[in-house]
């Protein structure tokens, strides 16, 4: 029940943030998938047990931790890619600005 | 330096907090060359900008510190916009002896090569690197030599002369702005640019190198190895 509340809460909070434009749709995707994943696994406990057997874990908790960990890694990687892109854009902008300033 | 080439040739100097060093450096250059001097102040917070302007240089001011490579690249972008055909890049701290500018630029002006790299190890300069740094230079010099098929003695040299084609390459996205170095020489080789080393005189810098400290050299080695590896993996 607790997990269901967390999952549903996360899902709704993200939709609300996208609605208020505090979170871009692009970033919401991974989070929404996580929220939905939690809800699905809570409602469909069989799937969680099957997954647990599939990955060779002893308890369903381990499965949840592993998926949680993988998710955090993915989202961090995604941020690193974004930061790289933003750094390049900031560099190009600063260079353009400096050259523009010089020519003014 | 012949006058008809004057307007085609710029000296690009990235500078970060080089007050009290940059004016003597510019005065030194003036003894050997009347080329336009473009100083790129990399977010300097001291008197670098005023001093460079006072010494007669053209100064571009970056709004914040972005590192040597990004500052240098700014200089190339500006030089291209101003339609310079050739450029010399050198340090603002007086490490690079302006006496060597002619040796660097002449083969470029004659069209013999696309880029000339000044090597401190082919000459009798006063430059002496600390042991660890010297080992690093040998190591990357060796790798660069093997990969480019020619002897490179000073892959970390920032004292270079180049033509417009190379400037365009340096201004492009391919240029690694954090520590442009041995990896750039390998990239140049893979893009088919013609390059050569020439002996230049370098002195020990008056301030700590950007490769100083403990973390920086480690990051530098990591970055260089990774950058060389991915350069080799790219199809160009």
């Amino acid at each position: 029940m607790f997990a269901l509340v967390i999952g549903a809460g996360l899902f709704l909070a993200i939709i609300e943030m996208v609605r208020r434009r505090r979170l871009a749709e692009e970033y919401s995707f991974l989070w929404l998938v996580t929220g939905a994943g939690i809800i699905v696994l809570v409602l469909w406990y069989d799937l969680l047990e099957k997954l647990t057997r599939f990955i060779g874990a002893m308890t369903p908790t381990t499965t949840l931790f592993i998926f949680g960990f993988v998710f955090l890694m993915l989202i961090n990687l995604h941020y690193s890619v974004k930061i790289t892109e933003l750094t390049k854009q900031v560099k190009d902008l600063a260079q353009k600005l400096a050259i523009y300033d010089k020519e003014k | 330096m012949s006058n008809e080439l004057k307007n085609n040739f710029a000296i690009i100097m990235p500078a970060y907090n080089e007050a009290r060093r940059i004016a003597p450096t510019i005065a030194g250059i003036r003894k050997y060359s009347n080329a336009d001097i473009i100083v790129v102040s990399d977010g300097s917070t001291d008197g670098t900008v005023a001093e460079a302007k006072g010494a007669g240089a053209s100064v571009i001011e970056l709004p914040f510190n972005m590192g040597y490579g990004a500052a240098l690249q700014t200089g190339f972008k500006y030089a291209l916009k101003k339609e310079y055909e050739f450029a010399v890049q050198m340090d603002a701290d007086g490490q690079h002896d302006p006496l060597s500018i002619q040796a660097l630029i002449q083969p470029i002006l004659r069209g013999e090569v696309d880029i000339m790299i000044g090597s401190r190890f082919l000459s009798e300069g006063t430059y002496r690197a600390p042991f660890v740094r010297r080992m690093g230079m040998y190591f990357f010099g060796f790798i660069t030599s093997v990969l480019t098929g020619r002897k490179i003695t000073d892959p970390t040299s920032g004292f270079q002369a180049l033509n417009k084609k190379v400037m365009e390459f340096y201004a492009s996205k391919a240029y690694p702005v954090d520590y442009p170095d041995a990896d750039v020489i390998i990239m140049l080789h893979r893009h088919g640019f013609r390059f050569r080393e020439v002996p230049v005189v370098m002195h020990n810098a008056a301030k700590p190198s950007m490769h100083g400290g403990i973390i920086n050299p480690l990051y530098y080695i990591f970055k260089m190895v990774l950058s060389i590896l991915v350069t080799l993996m790219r199809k160009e």
Side-chain angles (χ1 to χ4, degrees):
Chain A
M1 189 61 207
F2 175 71
L4 188 64
V5 171
I6 297 274
L10 182 66
F11 198 86
L12 290 176
I14 289 158
I15 300 269
E16 178 60 14
M17 278 195 261
V18 177
R19 193 187 66 81
R20 288 201 213 158
R21 297 196 178 83
R22 284 186 56 192
L23 181 66
E25 284 88 343
E26 180 194 352
Y27 294 101
S28 66
F29 178 73
L30 268 175
W31 290 106
L32 285 178
V33 169
T34 312
I38 294 175
I39 295 171
V40 168
L41 287 178
V42 170
L43 295 180
W44 188 8
Y45 194 75
D46 262 7
L47 178 67
L48 182 60
E49 286 186 322
K50 273 184 193 143
L51 272 174
T52 306
R53 274 196 299 279
F54 178 71
I55 62 172
M58 299 300 273
T59 62
T61 341
T62 316
T63 315
L64 288 176
F65 270 111
I66 287 174
F67 277 97
F69 185 73
V70 168
F71 163 74
L72 286 177
M73 271 198 338
L74 283 179
I75 208 149
N76 270 321
L77 186 64
H78 176 75
Y79 286 152
S80 295
V81 171
K82 273 284 153 193
I83 291 171
T84 305
E85 195 181 313
L86 288 170
T87 308
K88 272 191 197 147
Q89 288 170 342
V90 168
K91 183 209 76 177
D92 286 345
L93 268 178
Q95 289 179 327
K96 269 211 154 96
L97 175 73
I99 291 171
Y100 177 80
D101 248 14
K102 168 76 193 150
E103 296 200 315
K104 211 170 44 181
Chain B
M1 148 119 243
S2 54
N3 274 334
E4 69 272 18
L5 293 167
K6 187 194 162 199
N7 294 326
N8 273 341
F9 160 35
I11 293 172
I12 297 170
M13 271 197 304
Y16 175 59
N17 289 347
E18 297 288 358
R20 290 185 306 283
R21 282 179 293 266
I22 195 152
T25 303
I26 294 170
I29 294 170
R30 280 283 161 261
K31 282 189 223 156
Y32 300 98
S33 167
N34 55 0
D36 295 340
I37 298 174
I38 300 168
V39 169
V40 184
S41 165
D42 189 12
S44 296
T45 50
D46 62 359
T48 301
V49 172
E51 212 176 281
K53 279 180 181 164
S58 207
V59 183
I60 301 171
E61 295 171 65
L62 288 170
F64 40 78
N65 184 260
M66 290 196 292
Y68 174 78
L72 188 59
Q73 192 187 45
T74 310
F76 289 125
K77 286 182 175 177
Y78 181 72
L80 283 169
K81 206 163 183 199
K82 289 285 168 189
E83 297 180 336
Y84 286 100
E85 295 288 326
F86 312 97
V88 168
Q89 66 170 70
M90 61 189 289
D91 288 357
D93 58 5
Q95 197 191 344
H96 298 157
D97 197 314
L99 176 68
S100 305
I101 291 175
Q102 290 303 320
L104 277 169
I105 196 74
Q106 285 305 332
I108 303 281
L109 297 180
R110 289 196 298 264
E112 292 169 13
V113 286
D114 299 308
I115 175 162
M116 289 293 284
I117 299 162
S119 168
R120 71 203 92 181
F121 302 119
L122 291 175
S123 71
E124 294 291 311
T126 60
Y127 182 84
R128 290 288 172 270
F131 179 73
V132 177
R133 188 146 184 230
R134 212 160 57 228
M135 287 297 104
M137 286 170 167
Y138 280 134
F139 175 65
F140 287 112
F142 174 72
I143 291 184
T144 314
S145 301
V146 169
L147 292 175
T148 61
R150 70 187 76 188
K151 183 100 187 96
I152 297 292
T153 59
D154 196 355
T156 65
S157 171
F159 198 7
Q160 307 179 349
L162 40 130
N163 65 15
K164 198 172 177 178
K165 274 198 295 178
V166 181
M167 269 198 269
E168 279 163 354
F169 176 71
Y170 280 6
S172 77
K173 269 193 285 191
Y175 189 68
V177 287
D178 54 351
Y179 280 115
D181 210 287
D183 48 346
V184 175
I185 299 180
I186 295 164
M187 279 179 206
L188 289 167
H189 172 71
R190 288 175 68 88
H191 278 81
F193 290 110
R194 300 163 300 161
F195 58 91
R196 198 161 83 203
E197 272 191 330
V198 67
V200 294
V201 180
M202 288 196 203
H203 310 287
N204 278 332
K207 69 170 190 178
S209 149
M210 65 176 175
H211 302 304
I214 292 168
I215 301 299
N216 280 358
L218 286 180
Y219 171 73
Y220 168 77
I221 291 167
F222 159 78
K223 188 259 154 172
M224 208 45 65
V225 169
L226 178 69
S227 180
I228 289 172
L229 276 179
V230 296
T231 300
L232 294 176
M233 283 156 63
R234 288 189 187 113
K235 288 195 183 77
E236 278 155 345

